[in-house]
Amino acid sequence: MRPWLARRVAPTGLRRRVERRRGSHRLDSPPEREPVSMPGLAPVRTPRVVEGVIASVDERAADGHVPAVVAQVREADGDEVALVWLGRRHIGGIEPGVVVRARGLAATHRTRPAIFNPAYELVPSPRIEEQP
């Protein structure tokens, strides 16, 4: 805003509240928060790579909500992480028993570790041949 105009325009209610808040915020600002961390997952909103076997795949598109595909991935150390693709009804190659490597930001989904809309790649696994 131009300085000569600022003197002529009376502050609005919003501007007054912002100015008041600025003054008090500087004096007693809240302490810095540590990033939230879940067992088996990096702190929330940090990059994470997950590799494991897909235990289950669910399609959730009910009650007018955004459709989503949710795959539970079990890592080698036993931790489970949900891979959630929003706005999708099917993801090619994502099936139970497939080994997948996914990258994305750590988050939570229904209080469990998750990665939303991850970049993923299918990992070739050695074929297990049935013995006669």
Side-chain angles (χ1 to χ4, degrees):
M1 183 176 256
R2 297 181 181 123
W4 59 270
L5 185 59
R7 282 177 267 165
R8 292 183 187 176
V9 177
T12 63
L14 176 62
R15 186 177 297 156
R16 276 190 218 115
R17 281 183 275 163
V18 169
E19 288 171 0
R20 265 188 260 138
R21 187 167 250 190
R22 279 184 187 160
S24 65
H25 180 68
R26 290 182 188 140
L27 296 176
D28 43 71
S29 60
E32 287 288 320
R33 281 193 190 183
E34 292 293 320
V36 178
S37 181
M38 298 282 298
L41 195 63
V44 173
R45 299 198 51 92
T46 58
R48 173 71 195 252
V49 177
V50 175
E51 185 172 335
V53 178
I54 297 176
S56 65
V57 178
D58 295 323
E59 178 190 322
R60 298 183 183 159
D63 303 330
H65 291 93
V66 176
V69 174
V70 180
Q72 293 293 331
V73 175
R74 188 169 297 127
E75 293 184 285
D77 58 4
D79 292 335
E80 282 200 13
V81 178
L83 303 180
V84 182
W85 287 273
L86 297 174
R88 302 289 300 266
R89 295 186 191 283
H90 177 73
I91 304 290
I94 300 296
E95 301 171 350
V98 172
V99 179
V100 67
R101 181 180 304 124
R103 292 177 183 76
L105 291 180
T108 57
H109 179 253
R110 299 183 180 181
T111 70
R112 293 188 153 174
I115 298 176
F116 285 88
N117 296 324
Y120 74 97
E121 57 188 86
L122 303 177
V123 178
S125 57
R127 293 187 100 161
I128 300 173
E129 306 224 358
E130 293 182 22
Q131 299 195 6

